[in-house]
Every structure is written in structure tokens, then in C-alpha cells.
Amino acid sequence: MTDHEFALVGDIGGTNARFALVRRGQVKPEAVAVLPCRDYDNLDSAIVDYLHKAGIEAVSEACLAVASPVRDTRVRMTNNHWSFDTEEVRQQFQWRAFKVINDFTAMALGVPHVSTDQLVHVCGGPGDSRRPRLVMGPGTGLGVSGLVPITNGWVPLMTEGGHVDFAPVDDVEMAILGILKARFGRVSVERILCGQGLLNLYQAHAEIQGLPAPLDGPEKITAAAVGHADPLARQSLRHFCEILGRVAGNAALTLGSTGGVYLCGGILPRFLEFFLESPFRNGFEDKGRMRPLLESTPVYVVTEAYTGLLGAAEALGNSEV
């Protein structure tokens, strides 16, 4: 491979770093690799290892999506130990350009490039293609972004919407808020709507009901819920979906995203059938006088595994990013 043909794109989450190569002017990722962040001291060592494994000595430019706020040139990952300066990395690899964008900004930019067979309709529609789209989803954290249409494309919104306050709606949720407040102080929706958040929710329900909570990881809770092996796990996962619906509905009202809601991330596709039968729809649409607006807003689960890489590739040539 010749270095001038390719750019490096990446999607750096709290747990894994996904890297790929893209040809100039294209968004299709090639030579995709998923590297565990814990196996590397920092970003640069992961890039060196990826390029070596891909059989390429260098690339001309790069765009990375990161699960972190992006301020100036310093990036400190929210949910892992990596920290780097973008200008130092650019000079180290002698790239002519290096963009770093929020991971859910990349998710948003990638959504228009996702094929329809990678979109699972959840509820609502038909929507209005001229209006903004909301992109969100639970993973290591809760990512929230959006797309605002312009004449020849989309402007992505960089947000930290996963850190809005958790707003309980009944006595059980008030009790959950009290339990999580004692642990964390302020309780954002991300304390519930992510992998660790599902465990927090499960443990809170156990405490409220005076039950043991033997399951010690979100994957175990999900498996027990889907397999009807644990009523508490099933209750917790259903509640997780309902809260996600309410938060998505609130964000859709705030953004005016009648163009559609796109649920991304690695968690929901793991229990898709359960999710489609869950109280998500009720939580999303139960907005009083605004119910008709939410009922007319289509919601999709995005099953494309590399939406963030598509978005990073799009960002290379998008002057709005």
C-alpha cells in the first residue's frame, strides 16, 4: 500500500479502539481492526501497532472519533487512561492534517451512510426528512449528538447530552435516585444508561426490594433477562429501556428531531428482540400534549458495527467539522 492513497480513521471508545484505512474521497473503511485500549499505554502505541498489522508504513492524514469532550489540542479520554495532545501526535506521525471529533459526532456523521438493511425500525414515522436527526445510544457511556440539515449535507452537533440530570417520575425512581445520589453525588442519565449503568440500576432495584444481587456485570444481567433466568434482571433491563425511551423523547423534543431518532452503540443490538418488546416506545411517546409529535417521529436501531468509522471518514472532507 502506498501512503498517499490512504487516510487513517478511528473510533476510540472507553473499552476498544477501532481503526481503519479509507481511500481518498471515499468513506468505506478497509482493514478494520479492533484493539483493546487496556493493551496500550496511549494512543500513539496503538496507532503504530495498527499500521504495522495493516502492512502500511504511513498515511497522509487522520481523523479520530473519541469518547471524550474535545477542547483545543488536549484530549483526555473520559472512560479509559489515554491522554494525548493532537498537535504532538500529528507531528509524531507527520500527518498533513489531523482531526479529532467527539465519538457521537462521528456516529451522527456516519448515520446518513448506513444502508437501510442496517436500520431496524422501532416505532413512529414517517417523520420529516427536512428536519434534524437525533443520534444517541448507550455503550461504555451514553452518547448524544444530532444532525442539522443544510443545502448540501449535514452539520453535526457536538454535545454531552448523556450528562443531563436523571429525572425520576415515580416513587421507585425517586428511591433509585436516592441510592445513586448516595454513591455518586450528582446523578446523570449516564449513571443508568450505559453498561455500568445497567448494573447500577439492577443493584438499586435489589436494594429497594431487599433482594440479593448476584449478577456482577451488565452482560450477565442482559443474558439472564433475555433468557428468563432472573426476574430482577428482566425487570431492570425493561426499566433501562423505558428510561432510555424517556431520555430519547426529551432529547427529540429539545432538538426538534422529527427527521428521526437513530439509536447507536454496541449494547442494544445484543438484545434487539427484547428491546423491541420493551417499554421503550411508551417512554418515548408519553409526552402529554406532545405525544402526536413523538408518534410521528421514526426511531431506528442502527446495527451497522462501524458507524463511527464511516463518520470519521465523512469528517475528513466535511468543512463543518
Side-chain angles (χ1 to χ4, degrees), residues 111-133:
V111 159
H113 296 286
V114 173
S115 61
T116 56
D117 64 341
Q118 298 294 320
L119 297 175
V120 178
H121 182 251
V122 178
C123 59
D128 185 344
S129 61
R130 301 167 298 176
R131 298 298 303 276
R133 299 180 183 184

Side-chain angles (χ1 to χ4, degrees), residues 7-13 16-22 29-37 40 42-51 53-54 62-66 82 93 95 98 306 309 312:
L8 175 71
V9 294
D11 182 7
I12 317 298
N16 294 313
R18 296 169 176 83
F19 291 109
L21 302 172
V22 292
E30 302 179 30
V32 176
V34 181
L35 307 180
C37 296
Y40 300 90
N42 215 331
L43 172 68
D44 55 348
S45 59
I47 291 174
V48 169
D49 189 39
Y50 168 74
L51 292 176
K53 290 176 178 176
C63 179
L64 302 182
V66 297
W82 288 4
F93 290 99
W95 295 331
F98 180 29
Y306 301 122
L309 293 178

